[in-house]
Amino acid sequence: MKRFKVRFYPENREIEVEEGENLLRAAMAAEVRINASCGGDGTCGKCRVIIDKGSAKREPSPALSQKEIAEGHALACRTLITEDLEVRIPPESRLGKIADKERPQPSCGHLVSSAEWEERLANFAADSPFKKVCLSLPEPTLDDNIGDWQRLKRELGKNGIKNSKIDLPVLKSLPETLRKGNWQVTVTVLQQGNECKVIKVEPSDTTKTHYAVAVDVGTTTVVAQLIDIVTGKTIGKRSNFNAQASCGEDVISRIIFSTKDKGLKKLQSLIVGTINKLIAELVEESGIDPDHICGILAAGNTTMTQLLFGFDPRYIREEPYIPTTTLFPWIKASDIGVEVANHTYLYCFPCVASYIGGDITSGVIVSRMAESDRLTLFIDIGTNGEIVLGNKDWLVSCSCSAGPAFEGGGVKHGMQATKGAIEQVRIDRDTWEPMIITVGRVKPTGICGTGIIDIIAELFLSKVINQKGKFDLEIDSPRVRKGEFGPEYVLVWAKDSALDVDIVLSEADVENLIRAKAAVYAGINILIESVSLNLSDIEEIIIAGAFGNYLEIEKVVTIGLLPELPCEKFTFIGNGSILGAHAAIQSQGVLKEAETVAKKMTYLELSTNTKFMDQYISALFLPHTNIEKFPKVIDQLEK
Amino acid sequence: MKRFKVRFYPENREIEVEEGENLLRAAMAAEVRINASCGGDGTCGKCRVIIDKGSAKREPSPALSQKEIAEGHALACRTLITEDLEVRIPPESRLGKIADKERPQPSCGHLVSSAEWEERLANFAADSPFKKVCLSLPEPTLDDNIGDWQRLKRELGKNGIKNSKIDLPVLKSLPETLRKGNWQVTVTVLQQGNECKVIKVEPSDTTKTHYAVAVDVGTTTVVAQLIDIVTGKTIGKRSNFNAQASCGEDVISRIIFSTKDKGLKKLQSLIVGTINKLIAELVEESGIDPDHICGILAAGNTTMTQLLFGFDPRYIREEPYIPTTTLFPWIKASDIGVEVANHTYLYCFPCVASYIGGDITSGVIVSRMAESDRLTLFIDIGTNGEIVLGNKDWLVSCSCSAGPAFEGGGVKHGMQATKGAIEQVRIDRDTWEPMIITVGRVKPTGICGTGIIDIIAELFLSKVINQKGKFDLEIDSPRVRKGEFGPEYVLVWAKDSALDVDIVLSEADVENLIRAKAAVYAGINILIESVSLNLSDIEEIIIAGAFGNYLEIEKVVTIGLLPELPCEKFTFIGNGSILGAHAAIQSQGVLKEAETVAKKMTYLELSTNTKFMDQYISALFLPHTNIEKFPKVIDQLEK
C-alpha cells in the first residue's frame, strides 16, 4: 500500500496516510479541526477545503458547484487521497474558539446579568454535596484502641456526619495520614442524601482550599467554570467547542458516528479531552492546586451525557427513543478518563427523556420555575428546541427538531457565532441595502443564527420575501437575484467579505429557517393545548441557552418563532445548564430537586403526534398562517 | 557482579542469582516453598536446608549444632550464595499440602460432624446477600419510553427490590443485554441492608446457576469452599497453606515483613495468589462456569484481613495496637487482584480488635453463642489463643499470645499436622516406651501440636517430668537422657524416623508448651473474673479451629490448657471461620449480626493487665499451681 503526505494550512501540520484514505479522517488524525456537520455523510457541505497542491479523487456532491471544483474546492469527507497534498482550510470550515462577551440589556425582555446571577446563586442554600471538615481526633490509647477508620468515623458522627463510608484508597492511606497530621486532619465528604462518603483525608487544616468544576456539556460548545466551594463564587470560566464536532454537528450525526467501529469510544474520549483541556486551563489560570478539586458537576443533553459516560446511545435515535439511563450514578471522574485527582467525583444532571436532557433539568431548576406559582414557558433553542411549560405543581415538556439552522447549519453561508459572523442586519426599506454587524467587528465570513433571524425578519418587513418566504425577484436591486441555487439576497459583496465570494441568503436558506421556527412554535402550542390553556395565560417566558441569549425578541416574534407577548414576560437566563451545575455544587437541595423534577416532568413525543403536524404546517408562514395572532407584526408591515 | 546458579531438590528447580544473595530469597524467587517461621530473622531455625554441593557463607546461629554444620546443614535465611549450589530441602522444612480428613467422635465432648453442620447451616434464613431474579420487562413503546435502567429498576421494584443502584459496567452493557435477552433477563443483586446494587444482568433465565465462595484466611492455612447459593450446599472444598508462610510463620513476623520494602504488596499478592489457586481448583473440580461466582465471603484474623485488603498493619504490633479498620467495605474482588469475574464482590467478616479478628466473629455467629441463654466459652487455639465468654446479652473477649508451640513451632522437632507428623502418643508407665501414631501412618518426621500435648500429658502422668516440666534423669530408660540442648525424651530412634535423626522432645520444648498453655488458661480465668463468675458457671465450651478440633480433652485438661469440666460441656465445631462465611453467603442476617457482635464485644487487652500476669504465673505448672482444681488429674497421678 502506498503512503502519501498531506499538509494542512494554516495549521501547517503534516500527516502520512495510506493511499485511498479519506481526507476528513486524515484531518482528524492530524488533529486539524474541520467543521463536519453531518458526520462525514457528504450532505452538509461544511467540510469544504481547498486543495492547493496535488490532486485528489473527489466523489460528486450537490454541495459543490462546477466553478468551485475548478477552483480546487473539495469536501474533505468526499475526497480520497491518491497523492501528496497541500490542503487549505478556509475560515468557515474551521472550528475555532468562541468569543466570550456579555450582551447588554436587550430592548425587549430582561437579561439576567452575571452580577445578578451571582446574587441569585447566593440564594441557594450553602449546603454543598462536597463538605470539608477539619477534625482533631483523640489519640488512641489502650483504653480507646478502636481502628483508625472507626476513630475517624466516630469523630465525623460527633460533627453530624453519620453513617459515613470511605473509599478504599483513602482507607488504605488513613493510618499514615492520621499520624502525619498528628491526629488533626481535614476530611472531604461527599454527601448524597443520607449517604456520606469520605473521599479524601489530608493532614492538618485545608478547609480553605476547596474547589469544584461546573461543566455544561453542549453538543457544540462546552463551558467549564471553576467554583470556590467556600465562597460559592466563580473564580474562572472557560469554553471551547466540543471536540466531537469533527464527528458530526448534531446529536443524530454523533449517534450515527457512535455506531461505527470504535466510534463510541472515540466520541467519549473527544468530549473527555475537551473537558480535560478546559480544566487544565482553569487550573493554570487560577493557580490553584488541582488536587483540591473534589468534584465535577456536569449538565448536558441526554445524548451528550450518555457519550460522556460511554453509554451506547443508538436507541435514542430509533423509535421509541430509549436512552440507557436518564439518572446517572456518582462516579470517580478518573473512571471515565477525566484528568483530575483520583478522589474527584463527577455527577451529571438527570435527564427527562431522550430529547429533554440534564441541561434542561439544570436550567429549569436554576430558573426556579419549578418552585414558581406563575405559569412559565422555558425554552432552549438550538439544534433541538426544548420547551418546558409549567409551574411548581406540574411540568410538561417536548423537544422539536429544529435542525441546525439556528446554529448556522443547513444554510449556505451559515456559521457559528464566532469572529466574522454576521450577527445583526438592518435592510433599508427603500434601497434594500443592508447594514451589517459581525462578531468581533471584522470582515464578514458568514452568518450566524441570530443574524439569519435578523435578515429574514428584515427581508420580510422590507417585502423582499413574502409570508411563504418566497423572493420577489421583481425588486429593483442587484442584491435580489437569481443565483446558481435559486433566488437569493446578497448580504456582502465578494470584495467586502473575508472569503472573496458573495455572502448570500437564498430562498432555500429561508425555507430551512421557516421549518425550524415552525417546529418550535408548533411545540409551544402543543404544550399549551395539552394542558388546555392559551398562549396568553403564559406569565413568564424564560429563554435559555447561548443562542437564545442573543435573540432580539422583536425579530424573533416577527418571524413567528415565539408568540407575541409583552416584553416584561421575557427573561433571558443565558446558559441555564452551567448555572444549574454551579448551584448544585453549592447546594445538595438542587440535586435532590433535579431528580424530583426529572421524574415528575411529563414528556410529549412530537414525532408521532398528529396535532403537532397540523400546528407545524400552520406555522410554515411568516409569522404564521393566522397572522392576526401577531398584531405588532401587522402594524410593522403596514408602516 | 558475579552470578551463580542454585538448584533446589527435590523440586529440581534452578535459579540464577547475584553473588551474596540470601538463600531464602533465592528459594522464594524459585518458588520453592520453605518454612520460614520467623520471617528470615534466623531465630526459628525452621528454614533448615542441606547443601549437597558447593559451599556457602553461613552466618552463625544457635539453632545449628557444630555437627549439623559439618553435615552440610544450613539455615537458608542466614546463608549467602558465593558459588553454584545444590540445595536439598528436608521434609520438615518443606511447606506441603494438608491432609483433609474428618475426625471420629472424640471420647470426651461432642464433635459437630460435616453432616450435622449441613443441617445446622440449613437453619440459617435463606436470604442471601446475593440474589438472582429473572425478570420479563415490558418492551418499551412511545407511551412507555423510560430509560433502559429506569425500566429495569421499575421491574425490580415490583419484585420487592427497592432503591436499587447499578454498577457502571453493567449499566454500560444494559441496552445490549436487554435486547439480546428479548427483554427477559436475570439480574444479580447484592443486598446490603437497605441498599441493593445490580452487579450483573444476563440475557434469559440463569437463576439456577448461582455460586459464591467462602474463604477462611488463616495465618497458616487458607480454606475455600464453593457454595451453591440456590441449595445452600457446599459443592467443593479446598485448602492449602497460606503462601505468606514463606515470609514469616505468625502474624507478628508477617507484620514485620510488611514494613520492609514492597513487603506489604508482596504479602497481599501472596494471599491473593493462594485464594486464586484455591478458586481455580474449585472451579476446575466442580466444572462450573466461573462467571457464575458472584461473591466471596471471607473471614480471617485482623492482620490477615488487613493484608488481604493491602492495609498497612504496622500499628497492630505497636501499643496501643491499632488496625486500619475493623469493619470492611464490600469491594469488587478483582480490585485486590482476585481472579474472578469483574462483577464478583468480596466481603470480609468484621473484626473486634487487633487480636480478635473476623474469624472469631464468624465462629461466634455460626456457633450461635451470641443468641444463646447459656454462659458459653468460645476458644480458638492457635498461635494466638482467642477466647470469648458470654451469651446473647454480653460478650467479652481476649487474646493470649500462645506462641507457635501448638502449631509445632518453637519446638525442635515440631511440625505442622501434615503427613508424617506424630499426632498421638501413649507412654508405657513401666517401660517408658512410646506408642506413636503419625498423620498418614507413615514414618515419623516430627511432632505436631496435638502430638506435643499428648506427649507432655503422658510424660507427666508417667512421671518422666514433674509439675514444673523438669525431667527426672534418674529414670532408667535410654529414652530419657541429657541431650546436646539439655534433658530430652527420645520418641523415635533415628533408624525409625524419616529423617535419620532421633526425634526428641526436650525440656526446653516442654517449657515452651507450658508457657503457651498457661497463657490460654490465664486468659480464660481473666475473662471469668472480669464478669465476677466462676469456671463452674460455664455451661458450654466451644472449641473452634483446625488445631482445636483434634484435641483430646483428657490430655488437654491433664496439662491444664483447659479447665476440668464435664465432657458434655465440650463441643468441637471445627473451622468456625469458614462455617460462618458459608452461613453469611446464605443469609444477610448473619452479616448484620456479625457487625453487631463485632461492635458489642468487649475486648480486654492482656499485655498490660497485671492480674493476667498473676494468673499466668500460677498456670506455669502441670496442670496448675492449684492442682486441686483438677481432681481427675490427681486421680490419674495416684493410679
Side-chain angles (χ1 to χ4, degrees), chain A residues 488-528:
Chain A
E488 61 189 23
Y489 175 82
V490 183
L491 266 156
V492 182
W493 297 111
K495 66 180 168 60
D496 300 323
S497 92
L499 296 180
D500 295 333
V501 293
D502 294 345
I503 296 175
V504 304
L505 190 83
S506 71
E507 202 168 270
D509 294 340
V510 174
E511 279 166 7
N512 256 338
L513 199 96
I514 288 179
R515 279 195 292 272
K517 76 95 190 172
V520 173
Y521 191 83
I524 295 171
N525 274 274
I526 286 294
L527 286 189
I528 286 281

Short mmCIF file of all heavy atoms in Angstrom, two decimals, chain A residues 488-528:
data_model
loop_
_atom_site.label_atom_id
_atom_site.label_comp_id
_atom_site.label_asym_id
_atom_site.label_seq_id
_atom_site.Cartn_x
_atom_site.Cartn_y
_atom_site.Cartn_z
N GLU A 488 -31.86 34.60 -4.30
CA GLU A 488 -31.04 34.88 -3.12
C GLU A 488 -30.89 36.38 -2.92
O GLU A 488 -31.15 37.18 -3.81
CB GLU A 488 -29.66 34.21 -3.26
CG GLU A 488 -28.84 34.70 -4.45
CD GLU A 488 -27.56 33.90 -4.70
OE1 GLU A 488 -27.50 32.73 -4.27
OE2 GLU A 488 -26.65 34.45 -5.33
N TYR A 489 -30.47 36.74 -1.70
CA TYR A 489 -30.19 38.14 -1.37
C TYR A 489 -28.71 38.23 -1.02
O TYR A 489 -28.20 37.44 -0.20
CB TYR A 489 -31.06 38.58 -0.18
CG TYR A 489 -30.75 39.97 0.31
CD1 TYR A 489 -31.29 41.09 -0.34
CD2 TYR A 489 -29.92 40.17 1.41
CE1 TYR A 489 -31.00 42.36 0.11
CE2 TYR A 489 -29.62 41.45 1.84
CZ TYR A 489 -30.17 42.55 1.19
OH TYR A 489 -29.87 43.83 1.62
N VAL A 490 -28.03 39.19 -1.66
CA VAL A 490 -26.59 39.33 -1.43
C VAL A 490 -26.38 40.26 -0.23
O VAL A 490 -26.66 41.45 -0.32
CB VAL A 490 -25.86 39.88 -2.66
CG1 VAL A 490 -24.36 39.95 -2.40
CG2 VAL A 490 -26.17 39.04 -3.89
N LEU A 491 -25.90 39.71 0.84
CA LEU A 491 -25.65 40.49 2.05
C LEU A 491 -24.34 41.25 1.94
O LEU A 491 -24.22 42.40 2.36
CB LEU A 491 -25.55 39.56 3.25
CG LEU A 491 -26.83 39.35 4.03
CD1 LEU A 491 -26.76 38.05 4.77
CD2 LEU A 491 -27.04 40.52 5.00
N VAL A 492 -23.34 40.57 1.42
CA VAL A 492 -21.99 41.14 1.33
C VAL A 492 -21.42 40.79 -0.04
O VAL A 492 -21.49 39.63 -0.45
CB VAL A 492 -21.08 40.55 2.44
CG1 VAL A 492 -19.70 41.17 2.39
CG2 VAL A 492 -21.70 40.71 3.82
N TRP A 493 -20.92 41.80 -0.68
CA TRP A 493 -20.25 41.52 -1.97
C TRP A 493 -18.89 40.90 -1.71
O TRP A 493 -18.27 41.18 -0.68
CB TRP A 493 -20.12 42.81 -2.78
CG TRP A 493 -21.47 43.42 -3.15
CD1 TRP A 493 -22.00 44.56 -2.67
CD2 TRP A 493 -22.43 42.87 -4.06
NE1 TRP A 493 -23.25 44.80 -3.21
CE2 TRP A 493 -23.53 43.76 -4.08
CE3 TRP A 493 -22.48 41.73 -4.88
CZ2 TRP A 493 -24.67 43.54 -4.86
CZ3 TRP A 493 -23.60 41.52 -5.68
CH2 TRP A 493 -24.70 42.41 -5.66
N ALA A 494 -18.46 40.12 -2.68
CA ALA A 494 -17.19 39.40 -2.54
C ALA A 494 -16.05 40.31 -2.09
O ALA A 494 -15.25 39.95 -1.21
CB ALA A 494 -16.83 38.71 -3.86
N LYS A 495 -15.98 41.51 -2.65
CA LYS A 495 -14.86 42.41 -2.32
C LYS A 495 -14.85 42.81 -0.84
O LYS A 495 -13.82 43.14 -0.29
CB LYS A 495 -14.90 43.67 -3.21
CG LYS A 495 -16.12 44.58 -2.95
CD LYS A 495 -16.10 45.80 -3.86
CE LYS A 495 -17.41 46.58 -3.86
NZ LYS A 495 -17.85 47.13 -2.58
N ASP A 496 -16.04 42.79 -0.21
CA ASP A 496 -16.11 43.20 1.19
C ASP A 496 -16.03 42.02 2.16
O ASP A 496 -15.95 42.21 3.38
CB ASP A 496 -17.43 43.94 1.46
CG ASP A 496 -17.55 45.19 0.60
OD1 ASP A 496 -16.50 45.84 0.40
OD2 ASP A 496 -18.65 45.47 0.12
N SER A 497 -16.08 40.82 1.62
CA SER A 497 -16.12 39.66 2.51
C SER A 497 -14.71 39.13 2.77
O SER A 497 -13.78 39.43 2.02
CB SER A 497 -17.00 38.54 1.93
OG SER A 497 -16.23 37.65 1.16
N ALA A 498 -14.62 38.33 3.81
CA ALA A 498 -13.32 37.74 4.15
C ALA A 498 -13.04 36.52 3.28
O ALA A 498 -11.99 35.90 3.39
CB ALA A 498 -13.32 37.35 5.62
N LEU A 499 -14.01 36.16 2.45
CA LEU A 499 -13.91 34.90 1.70
C LEU A 499 -13.69 35.07 0.20
O LEU A 499 -13.54 34.10 -0.52
CB LEU A 499 -15.22 34.10 1.88
CG LEU A 499 -15.56 33.62 3.27
CD1 LEU A 499 -16.86 32.86 3.23
CD2 LEU A 499 -14.44 32.75 3.81
N ASP A 500 -13.77 36.34 -0.25
CA ASP A 500 -13.68 36.61 -1.69
C ASP A 500 -14.82 35.99 -2.47
O ASP A 500 -14.69 35.71 -3.66
CB ASP A 500 -12.33 36.13 -2.27
CG ASP A 500 -11.18 36.92 -1.67
OD1 ASP A 500 -11.41 38.08 -1.27
OD2 ASP A 500 -10.08 36.36 -1.58
N VAL A 501 -15.94 35.73 -1.80
CA VAL A 501 -17.16 35.32 -2.52
C VAL A 501 -18.31 36.16 -1.95
O VAL A 501 -18.21 36.67 -0.82
CB VAL A 501 -17.51 33.81 -2.37
CG1 VAL A 501 -16.49 32.92 -3.05
CG2 VAL A 501 -17.64 33.45 -0.89
N ASP A 502 -19.39 36.26 -2.74
CA ASP A 502 -20.58 36.96 -2.24
C ASP A 502 -21.17 36.15 -1.09
O ASP A 502 -21.32 34.93 -1.21
CB ASP A 502 -21.64 37.09 -3.35
CG ASP A 502 -21.16 38.00 -4.49
OD1 ASP A 502 -20.16 38.73 -4.29
OD2 ASP A 502 -21.80 37.95 -5.56
N ILE A 503 -21.50 36.84 0.00
CA ILE A 503 -22.21 36.16 1.08
C ILE A 503 -23.69 36.40 0.86
O ILE A 503 -24.15 37.56 0.84
CB ILE A 503 -21.75 36.68 2.45
CG1 ILE A 503 -20.27 36.34 2.64
CG2 ILE A 503 -22.62 36.08 3.58
CD1 ILE A 503 -19.67 36.91 3.90
N VAL A 504 -24.44 35.31 0.67
CA VAL A 504 -25.85 35.45 0.30
C VAL A 504 -26.73 34.65 1.25
O VAL A 504 -26.26 33.77 1.97
CB VAL A 504 -26.10 34.92 -1.15
CG1 VAL A 504 -25.20 35.64 -2.14
CG2 VAL A 504 -25.90 33.41 -1.22
N LEU A 505 -28.04 35.01 1.24
CA LEU A 505 -29.03 34.17 1.89
C LEU A 505 -30.02 33.78 0.80
O LEU A 505 -30.61 34.64 0.16
CB LEU A 505 -29.75 34.92 3.02
CG LEU A 505 -30.61 34.00 3.89
CD1 LEU A 505 -29.75 33.32 4.94
CD2 LEU A 505 -31.76 34.75 4.53
N SER A 506 -30.19 32.47 0.62
CA SER A 506 -31.01 32.02 -0.50
C SER A 506 -32.42 31.66 -0.05
O SER A 506 -32.69 31.54 1.15
CB SER A 506 -30.36 30.79 -1.15
OG SER A 506 -30.49 29.70 -0.26
N GLU A 507 -33.29 31.46 -1.01
CA GLU A 507 -34.66 31.07 -0.71
C GLU A 507 -34.65 29.73 0.05
O GLU A 507 -35.43 29.52 0.98
CB GLU A 507 -35.46 30.93 -2.01
CG GLU A 507 -36.94 31.06 -1.80
CD GLU A 507 -37.68 31.22 -3.14
OE1 GLU A 507 -37.85 32.37 -3.59
OE2 GLU A 507 -38.06 30.18 -3.72
N ALA A 508 -33.74 28.85 -0.36
CA ALA A 508 -33.63 27.55 0.31
C ALA A 508 -33.25 27.75 1.78
O ALA A 508 -33.78 27.08 2.67
CB ALA A 508 -32.59 26.68 -0.38
N ASP A 509 -32.36 28.72 2.03
CA ASP A 509 -31.96 29.00 3.42
C ASP A 509 -33.17 29.49 4.23
O ASP A 509 -33.37 29.10 5.37
CB ASP A 509 -30.88 30.10 3.45
CG ASP A 509 -29.57 29.64 2.80
OD1 ASP A 509 -29.36 28.41 2.70
OD2 ASP A 509 -28.77 30.52 2.43
N VAL A 510 -33.95 30.38 3.59
CA VAL A 510 -35.13 30.93 4.27
C VAL A 510 -36.09 29.79 4.60
O VAL A 510 -36.63 29.70 5.72
CB VAL A 510 -35.83 31.99 3.39
CG1 VAL A 510 -37.14 32.45 4.04
CG2 VAL A 510 -34.90 33.18 3.17
N GLU A 511 -36.29 28.90 3.63
CA GLU A 511 -37.20 27.76 3.87
C GLU A 511 -36.71 26.91 5.05
O GLU A 511 -37.49 26.48 5.88
CB GLU A 511 -37.28 26.90 2.60
CG GLU A 511 -38.24 27.49 1.58
CD GLU A 511 -38.08 26.86 0.20
OE1 GLU A 511 -37.32 25.88 0.07
OE2 GLU A 511 -38.71 27.38 -0.75
N ASN A 512 -35.41 26.71 5.07
CA ASN A 512 -34.82 25.95 6.18
C ASN A 512 -35.18 26.58 7.52
O ASN A 512 -35.57 25.91 8.46
CB ASN A 512 -33.29 25.98 6.05
CG ASN A 512 -32.77 24.66 5.54
OD1 ASN A 512 -33.44 23.65 5.67
ND2 ASN A 512 -31.58 24.67 4.96
N LEU A 513 -35.00 27.90 7.58
CA LEU A 513 -35.26 28.57 8.84
C LEU A 513 -36.74 28.58 9.18
O LEU A 513 -37.12 28.48 10.34
CB LEU A 513 -34.71 29.99 8.82
CG LEU A 513 -34.60 30.44 10.28
CD1 LEU A 513 -33.21 30.21 10.79
CD2 LEU A 513 -35.11 31.82 10.48
N ILE A 514 -37.57 28.71 8.18
CA ILE A 514 -39.02 28.71 8.45
C ILE A 514 -39.42 27.34 9.03
O ILE A 514 -40.19 27.25 9.98
CB ILE A 514 -39.83 29.05 7.17
CG1 ILE A 514 -39.65 30.55 6.84
CG2 ILE A 514 -41.31 28.72 7.36
CD1 ILE A 514 -40.37 31.01 5.60
N ARG A 515 -38.86 26.29 8.49
CA ARG A 515 -39.17 24.96 9.02
C ARG A 515 -38.73 24.86 10.49
O ARG A 515 -39.43 24.32 11.32
CB ARG A 515 -38.47 23.87 8.19
CG ARG A 515 -39.24 23.53 6.91
CD ARG A 515 -38.75 22.22 6.31
NE ARG A 515 -37.39 22.34 5.80
CZ ARG A 515 -37.08 22.76 4.56
NH1 ARG A 515 -38.05 23.09 3.72
NH2 ARG A 515 -35.84 22.83 4.17
N ALA A 516 -37.55 25.42 10.75
CA ALA A 516 -37.02 25.36 12.11
C ALA A 516 -37.91 26.13 13.08
O ALA A 516 -38.28 25.63 14.15
CB ALA A 516 -35.60 25.92 12.15
N LYS A 517 -38.29 27.34 12.70
CA LYS A 517 -39.08 28.17 13.63
C LYS A 517 -40.49 27.60 13.76
O LYS A 517 -41.11 27.67 14.84
CB LYS A 517 -39.07 29.63 13.18
CG LYS A 517 -39.95 29.99 12.00
CD LYS A 517 -41.31 30.52 12.43
CE LYS A 517 -42.24 30.61 11.21
NZ LYS A 517 -43.61 30.95 11.58
N ALA A 518 -40.99 27.00 12.69
CA ALA A 518 -42.33 26.41 12.74
C ALA A 518 -42.37 25.26 13.74
O ALA A 518 -43.35 25.10 14.48
CB ALA A 518 -42.74 25.91 11.35
N ALA A 519 -41.32 24.48 13.76
CA ALA A 519 -41.26 23.35 14.69
C ALA A 519 -41.33 23.85 16.14
O ALA A 519 -42.07 23.31 16.96
CB ALA A 519 -39.99 22.55 14.47
N VAL A 520 -40.57 24.90 16.44
CA VAL A 520 -40.55 25.41 17.81
C VAL A 520 -41.91 26.01 18.18
O VAL A 520 -42.47 25.72 19.23
CB VAL A 520 -39.43 26.47 17.97
CG1 VAL A 520 -39.51 27.14 19.34
CG2 VAL A 520 -38.06 25.84 17.75
N TYR A 521 -42.44 26.81 17.27
CA TYR A 521 -43.72 27.47 17.56
C TYR A 521 -44.82 26.41 17.74
O TYR A 521 -45.66 26.53 18.65
CB TYR A 521 -44.08 28.45 16.44
CG TYR A 521 -45.24 29.35 16.79
CD1 TYR A 521 -45.03 30.50 17.54
CD2 TYR A 521 -46.54 29.03 16.39
CE1 TYR A 521 -46.09 31.32 17.89
CE2 TYR A 521 -47.61 29.85 16.73
CZ TYR A 521 -47.38 31.00 17.48
OH TYR A 521 -48.44 31.81 17.82
N ALA A 522 -44.80 25.40 16.90
CA ALA A 522 -45.81 24.34 17.00
C ALA A 522 -45.65 23.60 18.33
O ALA A 522 -46.64 23.28 18.99
CB ALA A 522 -45.65 23.36 15.84
N GLY A 523 -44.40 23.37 18.73
CA GLY A 523 -44.14 22.69 20.01
C GLY A 523 -44.73 23.47 21.18
O GLY A 523 -45.39 22.89 22.05
N ILE A 524 -44.52 24.78 21.17
CA ILE A 524 -45.06 25.62 22.25
C ILE A 524 -46.58 25.46 22.30
O ILE A 524 -47.18 25.25 23.36
CB ILE A 524 -44.70 27.11 22.02
CG1 ILE A 524 -43.18 27.29 22.12
CG2 ILE A 524 -45.43 28.02 23.01
CD1 ILE A 524 -42.68 28.67 21.69
N ASN A 525 -47.20 25.49 21.12
CA ASN A 525 -48.66 25.40 21.06
C ASN A 525 -49.17 24.03 21.52
O ASN A 525 -50.21 23.95 22.18
CB ASN A 525 -49.15 25.70 19.64
CG ASN A 525 -49.34 27.20 19.45
OD1 ASN A 525 -50.38 27.74 19.76
ND2 ASN A 525 -48.28 27.87 19.02
N ILE A 526 -48.45 22.99 21.19
CA ILE A 526 -48.86 21.65 21.61
C ILE A 526 -48.84 21.54 23.13
O ILE A 526 -49.76 21.00 23.74
CB ILE A 526 -47.94 20.58 20.97
CG1 ILE A 526 -48.27 20.42 19.49
CG2 ILE A 526 -48.04 19.24 21.70
CD1 ILE A 526 -49.65 19.85 19.20
N LEU A 527 -47.81 22.10 23.75
CA LEU A 527 -47.73 22.05 25.22
C LEU A 527 -48.89 22.81 25.84
O LEU A 527 -49.55 22.33 26.76
CB LEU A 527 -46.40 22.64 25.71
CG LEU A 527 -45.13 21.79 25.50
CD1 LEU A 527 -43.97 22.43 26.24
CD2 LEU A 527 -45.34 20.36 25.98
N ILE A 528 -49.14 24.01 25.32
CA ILE A 528 -50.21 24.85 25.84
C ILE A 528 -51.56 24.13 25.69
O ILE A 528 -52.38 24.07 26.62
CB ILE A 528 -50.24 26.20 25.06
CG1 ILE A 528 -49.07 27.08 25.50
CG2 ILE A 528 -51.57 26.92 25.22
CD1 ILE A 528 -49.29 27.79 26.81
#
